[in-house]
Amino acid sequence: QKEVEQNSGPLSVPEGAIASLNCTYSDRGSQSFFWYRQYSGKSPELIMFIYSNGDKEDGRFTAQLNKASQYVSLLIRDSQPSDSATYLCAVKGPNTGGFKTIFGAGTRLFVKA
Amino acid sequence: EPEVTQTPSHQVTQMGQEVILRCVPISNHLYFYWYRQILGQKVEFLVSFYNNEISEKSEIFDDQFSVERPDGSNFTLKIRSTKLEDSAMYFCASTTGERNEKLFFGSGTQLSVL
């Protein structure tokens, strides 16, 4: 069973639209959830983290967490062409040991101008 | 923002050769990690290191791999006898260990095994 699952995409949205990215995880003991953005050939950079059920907003980004469903999502409002990248869902928790962070395979997002 | 530094940015080696990838984590960080990413694939955990010892390693991290913190600043990944399938981008990362803290990644070393 894959530990962190994401739809690989590509997800294509027009400029100004809302992009919705989803992720499920298998370890019910997971405690912290992260969304990273990765441009081709670059290292991942943090977009947001969330650890409580519900929504967390930061500018154009909203992360949503539902621990009962083991589901995390990221909404990007007013999508811009510069948002085109691969978005990585990542999970950390006591059961992963050593504070290890596990990544999903990523969803490629294309924002069309 | 403080940075994790990795050298070299690119490394080309012949199959069977040993390579050492170098990293300088952020100075007050306590946990160090190596991840790898094969082209087009996911970021995969290799090993975590804390208090001068390995705290966890993945199935990928077999006897061909080793890590070391030879002094107070450097953190190295050694691959003893490289294989073609070791070709990947290798990322070093560090954290202070707080629960909700992000991984601070270096810019990566692109390893090509010929």
Side-chain angles (χ1 to χ4, degrees):
Chain A
Q1 182 183 15
K2 289 185 181 178
E3 294 175 283
V4 181
E5 290 204 52
Q6 299 181 250
N7 186 325
S8 63
L11 173 66
S12 184
V13 300
E15 183 175 0
I18 295 175
S20 177
L21 307 165
N22 305 311
C23 169
T24 57
Y25 59 94
S26 60
D27 184 353
R28 207 168 264 284
S30 300
Q31 293 187 332
S32 306
F33 307 87
F34 304 81
W35 284 98
Y36 287 82
R37 177 174 62 198
Q38 186 179 31
Y39 294 109
S40 181
K42 302 295 185 183
S43 56
E45 54 179 336
L46 183 73
I47 299 294
M48 290 189 70
F49 75 88
I50 187 169
Y51 57 88
S52 297
N53 276 328
D55 295 359
K56 179 181 178 182
E57 185 174 320
D58 183 2
R60 296 187 295 113
F61 300 94
T62 299
Q64 299 173 316
L65 173 62
N66 184 326
K67 289 187 177 180
S69 301
Q70 296 174 245
Y71 175 87
V72 193
S73 67
L74 179 71
L75 299 177
I76 307 174
R77 289 181 298 282
D78 187 24
S79 295
Q80 301 298 308
S82 58
D83 294 327
S84 299
T86 297
Y87 288 80
L88 311 179
C89 176
V91 172
K92 185 165 74 169
N95 294 339
T96 63
F99 297 94
K100 176 177 71 176
T101 300
I102 299 297
F103 288 84
T107 298
R108 287 177 297 154
L109 172 66
F110 291 106
V111 181
K112 299 175 291 184
Chain B
E1 185 174 76
E3 292 185 344
V4 174
T5 304
Q6 286 188 247
T7 55
S9 56
H10 294 84
Q11 175 85 52
V12 180
T13 190
Q14 296 291 323
M15 188 170 57
Q17 294 297 303
E18 174 183 287
V19 294
I20 298 176
L21 309 183
R22 303 181 190 279
C23 171
V24 179
I26 294 170
S27 60
N28 65 332
H29 285 186
L30 302 176
Y31 292 81
F32 314 119
Y33 308 85
W34 284 100
Y35 285 81
R36 81 170 186 191
Q37 187 174 32
I38 295 170
L39 185 63
Q41 298 188 24
K42 68 190 291 185
V43 176
E44 299 176 291
F45 169 79
L46 292 180
V47 65
S48 59
F49 191 87
Y50 170 72
N51 199 27
N52 282 320
E53 60 182 22
I54 291 173
S55 50
E56 189 171 2
K57 58 184 180 180
S58 71
E59 292 178 353
I60 303 167
F61 195 89
D62 61 21
D63 292 343
Q64 293 298 313
F65 291 87
S66 63
V67 290
E68 191 177 34
R69 188 156 163 83
D71 52 42
S73 60
N74 291 284
F75 179 51
T76 62
L77 174 69
K78 182 191 290 185
I79 309 175
R80 289 190 181 81
S81 178
T82 50
K83 306 183 184 76
L84 296 176
E85 54 265 36
D86 293 328
S87 295
M89 178 75 89
Y90 288 80
F91 292 112
C92 174
S94 67
T95 69
T96 62
E98 292 181 19
R99 185 182 82 170
N100 298 317
E101 188 185 27
K102 70 175 183 179
L103 285 166
F104 289 79
F105 281 99
S107 56
T109 294
Q110 179 65 55
L111 176 64
S112 298
V113 182
L114 306 179

